[in-house]
């Protein structure tokens, strides 16, 4: 007769999480995007320069 090996306690399986992943803030929400510049404090000349720099060529 063979004896069955003693069963060892198993680690619990990770629980399923049904939260909405879009409710959580990601690094994309907090980092600076492409081409973002520090905000000029009411500098209309800087705003105009940025507008002219970023305007597509067919809008000149």
């Amino acid at each position: 007769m063979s004896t069955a090996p003693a069963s060892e306690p198993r680690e619990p399986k990770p629980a399923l999480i049904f939260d909405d992943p879009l409710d959580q803030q990601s690094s994309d929400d907090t980092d600076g995007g492409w081409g973002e510049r520090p905000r000029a404090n009411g500098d209309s000349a800087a705003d105009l320069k940025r507008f002219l720099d970023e305007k597509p060529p067919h809008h000149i």
Side-chain angles (χ1 to χ4, degrees), residues 9-23:
R10 296 181 187 173
E11 292 184 23
K13 293 182 181 178
L16 294 176
I17 300 172
F18 292 101
D19 293 341
D20 185 3
L22 298 178
D23 284 342

Side-chain angles (χ1 to χ4, degrees), residues 21-40:
L22 298 178
D23 284 342
Q24 301 170 2
Q25 189 175 33
S26 70
S27 63
D28 289 342
D29 297 331
T30 57
D31 66 349
W34 289 19
E36 289 186 9
R37 299 177 185 168
R39 179 91 174 127

